[in-house]
Amino acid sequence: MPTANTPEPPYYAVIFTSQRSAGDKGYAGTATRMEELAALEPGFLGIERARGPDGFGITVSYWSSEEAISRWKANLEHRSAQEAGKRTWYSAYAIRIAKVGRSHGAHPENG
Amino acid sequence: MPTANTPEPPYYAVIFTSQRSAGDKGYAGTATRMEELAALEPGFLGIERARGPDGFGITVSYWSSEEAISRWKANLEHRSAQEAGKRTWYSAYAIRIAKVGRSHGAHPENG
């Protein structure tokens, strides 16, 4: 996936790290659906994700405000997925909400 | 890898996302060395990383202060690795410095 084409800071990041338990159990379909839903939320700026062969993954979503993050957290379909994640998909996870103050990089594929 | 066992916020995160170009070209050894070096820096709190089969990866390192991040960025051996990354290992990358204000999760493997 490309690096997210975020605007100049400040903006907010939700850093979600998780260890998948064995077996798909509906995970892949729901993960794709959640990314589609998140992208429809007001204030969504972009998303980046990676998961290695050990099942450890990081998803960082970027948002214009803390209010936008709260709305996304409270989205009913997302809440249902959060519960399934805790119950079924993840053996461990951490969520961190952070304010991005500086950024730099090189993104030739974003033009 | 386990989720990082970070303290209560506030603390800082360096979110590094990158797309690897083809071939190792010394990357794996340097990446391991950089993690070892970072862990020796004052103010280092932990690290999480994942890279998927598409070569897109995310590394998040956690720090007690922005000064600790600046010192790590300026570390001479790290600077050399940063240059090699831009020149050889990454076709695209982004670095975001963020202040973590809230966190929650479940980390059974961290006790």
Side-chain angles (χ1 to χ4, degrees):
Chain A
M1 74 185 308
T3 53
N5 200 358
T6 44
E8 284 299 302
Y11 52 85
Y12 291 82
V14 178
I15 306 167
F16 176 65
T17 52
S18 63
Q19 180 65 50
R20 279 295 321 281
S21 46
D24 185 71
K25 299 172 189 156
Y27 170 77
T30 303
T32 301
R33 169 73 178 149
M34 287 306 115
E35 288 200 16
E36 291 168 356
L37 264 188
L40 297 175
E41 288 280 337
F44 174 86
L45 298 177
I47 193 165
E48 295 167 328
R49 77 189 123 63
R51 189 172 302 279
D54 61 353
F56 186 80
I58 305 177
T59 299
V60 189
S61 58
Y62 299 102
W63 302 87
S64 62
S65 68
E66 293 192 273
E67 292 69 31
I69 292 170
S70 297
R71 276 196 305 267
W72 170 232
K73 188 182 176 190
N75 175 296
L76 277 178
E77 192 172 342
H78 184 210
R79 281 177 66 178
S80 164
Q82 291 169 56
E83 289 307 313
K86 292 180 201 177
R87 205 171 49 235
T88 306
W89 295 322
Y90 305 122
S91 60
Y93 70 94
I95 298 170
R96 295 178 176 92
I97 315 288
K99 182 177 185 176
V100 178
R102 287 183 290 143
S103 70
H104 64 278
H107 320 250
E109 83 272 38
N110 289 339
Chain B
M1 71 187 309
T3 53
N5 201 359
T6 44
E8 284 298 302
Y11 52 84
Y12 291 82
V14 178
I15 307 166
F16 176 65
T17 51
S18 63
Q19 179 65 51
R20 280 295 321 280
S21 47
D24 184 70
K25 298 172 190 154
Y27 170 77
T30 303
T32 301
R33 169 74 179 149
M34 288 304 115
E35 288 199 15
E36 291 166 357
L37 263 189
L40 296 175
E41 288 280 337
F44 175 84
L45 299 177
I47 194 165
E48 295 167 328
R49 74 188 128 62
R51 189 173 301 280
D54 61 353
F56 187 80
I58 304 177
T59 298
V60 190
S61 57
Y62 299 102
W63 301 86
S64 62
S65 68
E66 294 192 273
E67 291 69 30
I69 293 171
S70 296
R71 276 195 305 268
W72 170 234
K73 188 182 174 188
N75 175 295
L76 278 178
E77 191 173 341
H78 184 209
R79 282 177 65 178
S80 163
Q82 290 168 56
E83 290 306 313
K86 292 180 199 177
R87 203 170 51 234
T88 306
W89 295 322
Y90 305 122
S91 60
Y93 71 94
I95 298 169
R96 294 177 177 94
I97 315 289
K99 182 177 186 176
V100 178
R102 287 184 289 143
S103 70
H104 63 279
H107 322 249
E109 83 272 36
N110 288 340

